[in-house]
Amino acid sequence: MPTLFLNATQVVTCAGPARARRGAEMRDMGVLRNAAVAVDGATIVAVGPQDEICRTYPNAEEVDCAGAVLTPGLVDSHTHGIFGKPRHEEQELRASGVGYMEIAKQGGGIHGSVRDLRTRSEDELLELAIPRLRRLASYGTTTVELKSGYGLTVEDELKSLRVIRRLADAVPLRVVPTFLGAHEIPLEYRSAPRTREEYIGLVINEMLPQVVAGKLARFADVFCEPGVYTTDESRRILGAARAAGLAIKLHADELETSGAAELAAEIGAVSADHLAAISDAGIAALAASGTVATLLPGTMLFLGRVKQAPARTLLDAGAAIALATDFNPGTSPTVNFPLILTLAVSQLRLTVAEAVVAATVNGAAALGISAETGQLAPGMSADIALFEMEDVRELPYWYGDRRCLRTWARGIACHDANGGDTFPNSLRDRSL
Ligand code: NIG
Ligand code: FE
């Protein structure tokens, strides 16, 4: 029997073509009043005037939205949620003047998370990840991309991806897995007798085939950054990944300009992520390409860096922008997606509509699933969020607050601020 979502003050649909919205297209988020949404099973079957919907489905079940705002569930298209312990000590180090890359050179940063993850079992990592995803969901997220990248051995990368697969089966959220074996050059390949070239060979010839054979990832990603992977190395790794059947993403121009955005456009990456140090040529290349520019303003905020990605210039050039949390233990330990919308409006100078489209439709496009989610429209998956507010412009406004009342993913209750959702608390809640 269908379920009707009734009595929302606003229904924000983001309805339109099932692809990334670019430039001026992002200014329309489709705000309806006196509207309702009808869901049948896992799918949205109608969105329109409430009286019409009620007439069409007379015996339906009802969800009373009680004057709150209904939106598409948020699509967090960039996270590194599979890790062990937090890295809070690095925050103070940076405050005292030691830079992110300096910490990495001293064997901390990503290397610290790698040392830690290698000591942990698959079950332990799963146990740590479940409550993190629960928290992500509690802020309005219904789709989350999760990367490996803190293992950096064949077994530890596969272990991380197996955790992601088990999570995808265990939680009601939609989960998209990404292989990030090229997140760093591991310390043991930085001095003789081993070489970075050997590690790149391991990623291409050992890890990739096993990831693909096990169907453990949809995307491959590389941290392309001076001091980490060069653009040439990234091109080789991602070329191999694409040839093996994975779609590709790239951590591009995060801290220093390297031409990574141009590379992403050239090789047909689905998204180029970060871009705080993108060049003018990079902006032009992305605007002329189908690659989504995924901006992660929480990362620059947390690192204490003043320069954010040039979002307005990208948009005005006609690029497609997505927003994401970059949730990870080093540079962005936040699960609060609406806070990222606050930064998008107040720091990146997006309009609220641009920010909402970037967090829904364009997040889905950055994951290659814009035909499935990101909109409240007939045929789309019933991935829905309900926020305690009367106007969607309050979403970035109450910054840091948690206004999300309920979410549904594929029509299943995912988060409920008053209890009653289906999210497991731990491994023990289900046989995972
Ligand atoms: O997106 N830049 C590379 N990866 C993460 C940071 C990972 C870490 O510091 O643990 C990022 O910022
Ligand atoms: Fe990242």
Side-chain angles (χ1 to χ4, degrees):
M1 193 199 311
T3 302
L4 307 187
F5 292 71
L6 303 175
N7 308 325
T9 308
Q10 295 180 335
V11 175
V12 179
T13 65
C14 296
R19 57 162 173 77
R21 312 282 164 77
R22 320 181 64 87
E25 288 179 326
M26 290 181 67
R27 289 191 206 141
D28 184 10
M29 63 176 149
V31 180
L32 306 178
R33 289 184 174 275
N34 304 315
V37 176
V39 166
D40 198 353
T43 309
I44 296 172
V45 290
V47 180
Q50 180 157 313
D51 46 4
E52 254 176 49
I53 299 258
C54 288
R55 273 199 304 276
T56 314
Y57 301 96
N59 298 316
E61 283 184 19
E62 295 180 4
V63 171
D64 181 7
C65 298
V69 171
L70 214 49
T71 73
L74 304 179
V75 180
D76 195 348
S77 63
H78 183 138
T79 86
H80 307 249
I82 310 303
F83 60 90
K85 63 179 185 200
R87 304 209 313 260
H88 37 72
E89 64 288 347
E90 292 175 11
Q91 188 181 17
E92 277 186 329
L93 265 179
R94 278 192 302 276
S96 73
V98 190
Y100 177 75
M101 279 301 178
E102 190 53 40
I103 293 172
K105 277 200 199 101
Q106 293 169 10
I110 292 172
H111 303 297
S113 291
V114 167
R115 265 192 303 278
D116 176 55
L117 181 134
R118 288 177 180 176
T119 67
R120 297 187 191 259
S121 70
E122 202 177 300
D123 278 1
E124 205 180 339
L125 289 168
L126 186 62
E127 196 70 75
L128 285 167
I130 290 171
R132 288 179 194 143
L133 291 202
R134 191 185 180 99
R135 287 194 184 92
L136 269 164
S138 75
Y139 282 91
T141 296
T142 55
T143 298
V144 63
E145 183 252 21
L146 287 162
K147 302 177 196 291
S148 67
Y150 293 121
L152 311 189
T153 65
V154 176
E155 199 32 59
D156 291 301
E157 282 300 302
L158 294 175
K159 176 175 76 181
S160 303
L161 290 168
R162 283 195 302 267
V163 171
I164 297 172
R165 173 148 72 195
R166 287 172 71 189
L167 275 169
D169 293 338
V171 301
L173 282 171
R174 185 187 297 275
V175 171
V176 178
T178 295
F179 166 55
L180 180 55
H183 197 191
E184 250 297 6
I185 304 282
L187 292 175
E188 62 273 20
Y189 286 87
R190 284 168 175 256
S191 50
R194 288 179 166 169
T195 64
R196 63 188 286 133
E197 191 46 42
E198 264 180 83
Y199 183 69
I200 293 168
L202 191 74
V203 171
I204 294 177
N205 302 318
E206 307 281 336
M207 294 183 192
L208 250 180
Q210 295 196 51
V211 169
V212 171
K215 295 193 171 52
L216 286 168
R218 188 190 276 242
F219 286 93
D221 191 351
V222 173
F223 186 11
C224 180
E225 182 78 23
V228 193
Y229 287 89
T230 68
T231 47
D232 281 346
E233 290 165 346
S234 305
R235 184 186 278 106
R236 277 170 55 211
I237 296 166
L238 293 175
R242 150 159 298 173
L246 299 182
I248 56 188
K249 290 180 166 288
L250 196 57
H251 279 69
D253 297 325
E254 174 176 351
L255 305 168
E256 280 181 55
T257 312
S258 70
E262 293 91 313
L263 172 65
E266 175 200 318
I267 61 181
V270 177
S271 72
D273 301 37
H274 281 292
L275 307 174
I278 190 173
S279 67
D280 289 345
I283 293 171
L286 286 185
S289 76
T291 302
V292 176
T294 299
L295 309 186
L296 311 164
T299 305
M300 294 300 125
L301 175 88
F302 189 72
L303 289 178
R305 295 174 77 97
V306 177
K307 203 168 152 222
Q308 287 280 4
R312 278 262 58 96
T313 316
L314 278 159
L315 268 175
D316 295 343
I321 287 183
L323 289 163
T325 61
D326 194 18
F327 172 58
N328 78 74
T331 67
S332 189
T334 187
V335 289
N336 184 339
F337 204 153
L339 178 60
I340 303 303
L341 298 192
T342 302
L343 297 176
V345 176
S346 294
Q347 310 235 298
L348 302 184
R349 311 228 169 250
L350 300 194
T351 65
V352 175
E354 287 166 341
V356 168
V357 169
T360 54
V361 179
N362 283 11
L367 295 176
I369 52 174
S370 50
E372 291 165 47
T373 193
Q375 308 183 33
L376 298 184
M380 288 282 160
S381 174
D383 299 348
I384 301 173
L386 183 67
F387 291 99
E388 186 174 14
M389 53 192 60
E390 293 176 0
D391 189 304
V392 65
R393 285 172 293 186
E394 293 176 68
L395 189 53
Y397 172 78
W398 299 110
Y399 83 103
D401 198 358
R402 184 163 62 176
R403 290 294 178 121
C404 184
L405 294 169
R406 301 177 71 176
T407 64
W408 295 262
R410 302 183 183 97
I412 294 169
C414 193
H415 158 71
D416 186 338
N418 297 313
D421 54 49
T422 57
F423 221 104
N425 280 308
S426 90
L427 263 181
R428 287 180 294 280
D429 284 7
R430 293 188 183 194
S431 53
L432 307 173

